[in-house]
Amino acid sequence: MGLFDRLRGDDGPRVVFLGIDGVPYDLVEDHPDVFENLHAIAADGAGGQISSIVPPESSACWPALTTGKNPGETGVYGFQDRKSGSYETYVPMGAHVEAPRLWDIVTDADRSASVFNVPVTFPPSETIQRQVSGFLSPSLEQAASDPEIEATLSDLSYNIDVDASLGHDDDKTAFIESANETLDARYEAFRHYVEQDDWDLFFGVFMSTDRVNHFLFRDYAQDGEYAEEFLEFYSTLDDYIGEVRKQLDDETELVIASDHGFTELHHEVKCNRWLAQQGWLTYEADEPDELADIGDDARAYSLIPGRFYLNLEGREPGGVVPESEYEEVREELIADLETLTGPDGRAVCDRIVKGEEVFDGLHTEIAPDVVVVPADGFDLKAGFDDGEEIFAKEARNGMHKFGNACLYSTADLSIDSVDLYDIAPTILDLMEVDTDTREMEGRSLVS
């Protein structure tokens, strides 16, 4: 092996992973003219539909995808989690992820990893080759693992995220411009660092896809005002995926995946309002706005997305549900949830899952007792207030979906009954990294 090979860390096969947050499989499959490169990748390698995790929220999904472990092991269940033994909540960041990330395993194997824009990675690691943390990073300066990367990305007009506040305007023109500018700069950054050719794993995420889906999915689904702009955005994304593919040699595999699917949103469901109206939740404060305001006789509460907790004695500081009655009370809550219907008469809950069915590990003390996977069109929110209306329509018109995520690869993978947990062991197998993946939830898909 020559000097350049040693500098590049070329001691085994390499992988580029591109995350396309929230891109649904049927969007790609229904538009081969828009997604020419993804269809070409599927024809040469593999492509198919995969499942997300419970709950299908990006803050929980990306730690699961990048560790191969469920939230009981990662310690991250959603955008908002509850501190153990407390009613205080926090927004999980990278430091809250308890399981080893894919790039940590690669680095421990004396290989190099460049990581860009992955949600729930702030603050960036200083132990891997280079990293720029993603969603919720306060600034580019703080997101970049070193000043050189910050300077390079600043020159490329790199944005941490789309300005989602613009999506609330009736006129979506400025939002669409922000989404495209963010997409363009993200690609330029990926192109620049892929070209460095000094990594073994390049892991980058396009998250502007999720933002576009949240605010323009109805336009796409119903051929609305911004349907053309929606598909043009995705055509550009596909072009960029094709350009990255052209940069790679025959010894480097390209893997592309989304963390959850997407569907049209019709109604947000205010779960804590529903609990209050059903007699499960009371408040001490006159104007409640946080979990700490729940009353001393509250039996249950909810956190996003669709996570329900019993106010259990010995676990919650003011718990009132005796442990001896846990199963009986939980079954009562499930029965009530099964009766919840929307304004159109449809059941809100597609699946009701008990926590222990999907969560296992060292961090289950903050796991929900019940998780609802909603029927298409219903997005389960929390909100601690005493309002009357359970169902609402907001500016967002697209919502996450448990099924219908996607996976494409230049490698010959077996994509059958696949979920997010299979991606990490697959990448490690493709890279021939010598590590024990038996403790991961998933399996390698390498044929």
Side-chain angles (χ1 to χ4, degrees):
M1 184 168 62
L3 175 61
F4 176 74
D5 291 327
R6 290 199 300 273
L7 290 174
R8 196 185 70 177
D10 189 14
D11 52 0
R14 301 186 300 160
V15 169
V16 170
F17 176 89
L18 298 179
I20 47 176
D21 195 296
V23 174
Y25 176 72
D26 55 11
L27 171 65
V28 178
E29 291 306 293
D30 290 348
H31 297 280
D33 55 327
V34 174
F35 296 96
E36 293 181 4
N37 288 290
L38 282 181
H39 279 259
I41 289 169
D44 294 341
Q49 179 172 322
I50 67 173
S51 297
S52 184
I53 67 164
V54 176
E57 184 173 65
S58 296
S59 289
C61 290
W62 286 105
L65 186 153
T66 56
T67 64
K69 297 189 176 183
N70 77 86
E73 289 287 1
T74 68
V76 178
Y77 291 84
F79 181 72
Q80 179 187 35
D81 277 330
R82 177 180 62 83
K83 291 184 179 180
S84 180
S86 168
Y87 289 126
E88 294 183 28
T89 61
Y90 61 95
V91 176
M93 297 289 191
H96 294 104
V97 179
E98 300 288 347
R101 308 298 280 265
L102 182 61
W103 42 85
D104 296 321
I105 297 171
V106 167
T107 300
D108 288 345
D110 293 325
R111 309 282 289 280
S112 298
S114 289
V115 181
F116 291 84
N117 198 50
V118 184
V120 200
T121 53
F122 181 80
S125 171
E126 297 180 355
T127 62
I128 65 175
Q129 180 185 29
R130 62 175 68 92
Q131 183 172 24
V132 181
S133 55
F135 173 60
L136 296 180
S137 298
S139 68
L140 178 56
E141 179 183 7
Q142 294 168 284
S145 59
D146 66 64
E148 182 180 351
I149 296 174
E150 180 203 348
T152 299
L153 297 187
S154 181
D155 289 343
L156 295 173
S157 300
Y158 185 97
N159 297 325
I160 296 295
D161 203 353
V162 178
D163 186 351
S165 67
L166 298 172
H168 293 264
D169 298 337
D170 292 336
D171 183 348
K172 300 292 193 293
T173 303
F175 168 75
I176 294 168
E177 289 177 357
S178 176
N180 280 292
E181 289 170 359
T182 303
L183 175 66
D184 294 344
R186 190 81 71 241
Y187 162 68
E188 290 298 329
F190 291 177
R191 180 198 59 75
H192 175 82
Y193 283 104
V194 167
E195 198 172 65
Q196 296 290 311
D197 203 36
D198 59 353
W199 40 265
D200 297 294
L201 171 66
F202 183 95
F203 199 107
V205 175
F206 293 102
M207 198 173 183
S208 47
T209 48
D210 179 89
R211 303 298 184 239
V212 166
N213 288 352
H214 271 306
F215 292 102
L216 299 182
F217 204 85
R218 181 173 298 149
D219 291 86
Y220 159 69
Q222 298 188 9
D223 196 22
E225 180 179 1
Y226 299 105
E228 183 177 351
E229 288 86 345
F230 180 91
L231 291 176
E232 286 175 352
F233 170 87
Y234 272 110
S235 180
T236 301
L237 171 71
D238 185 75
D239 287 344
Y240 288 159
I241 290 171
E243 290 301 315
V244 170
R245 186 185 185 189
K246 291 176 184 176
Q247 290 182 266
L248 308 182
D249 59 33
D250 293 338
E251 303 303 314
T252 304
E253 301 290 3
L254 175 61
V255 179
I256 305 108
S258 58
D259 58 326
H260 52 74
F262 240 90
T263 190
E264 188 177 354
L265 169 61
H266 295 289
H267 299 283
E268 290 190 344
V269 186
K270 312 297 184 181
C271 293
N272 282 320
R273 290 184 185 179
W274 176 81
L275 287 171
Q277 292 182 21
Q278 297 297 311
W280 287 92
L281 179 60
T282 60
Y283 294 107
E284 289 293 321
D286 292 334
E287 296 182 359
D289 63 1
E290 59 181 352
L291 178 57
D293 291 330
I294 69 171
D296 57 12
D297 59 347
R299 293 199 299 160
Y301 59 90
S302 180
L303 296 177
I304 59 173
R307 292 176 288 159
F308 291 82
Y309 298 75
L310 298 184
N311 195 20
L312 187 65
E313 282 185 357
R315 186 183 67 184
E316 275 78 0
V320 298
V321 176
E323 188 173 351
S324 61
E325 299 177 14
Y326 176 81
E327 285 297 345
E328 177 184 352
V329 175
R330 182 164 67 165
E331 290 296 337
E332 181 185 350
L333 175 60
I334 291 172
D336 279 358
L337 285 166
E338 289 173 339
T339 70
L340 177 57
T341 56
D344 57 2
R346 291 190 303 127
V348 168
C349 306
D350 180 57
R351 292 171 54 204
I352 301 176
V353 182
K354 294 180 178 179
E356 66 272 17
E357 295 173 355
V358 287
F359 307 126
D360 179 50
L362 299 175
H363 306 286
T364 54
E365 76 282 355
I366 60 170
D369 301 298
V370 173
V371 183
V372 172
V373 178
D376 285 0
F378 298 105
D379 195 9
L380 305 186
K381 310 305 260 185
F384 293 92
D385 60 60
D386 56 359
E388 295 296 323
E389 296 296 326
I390 294 174
F391 299 96
K393 292 191 175 183
E394 305 292 345
R396 298 181 311 121
N397 57 50
M399 58 170 278
H400 295 187
K401 184 178 173 71
F402 169 76
N404 208 26
C406 64
L407 173 62
Y408 295 88
S409 177
T410 55
D412 183 16
L413 305 182
S414 176
I415 303 180
D416 182 31
S417 300
V418 173
D419 59 33
L420 293 193
Y421 298 122
D422 298 320
I423 293 176
T426 298
I427 292 175
L428 292 170
D429 195 1
L430 288 172
M431 295 182 65
E432 298 179 2
V433 171
D434 185 15
T435 187
D436 187 356
T437 61
R438 288 176 296 179
E439 293 186 359
M440 292 183 176
E441 303 284 325
R443 70 194 193 284
S444 171
L445 306 175
V446 178
S447 300

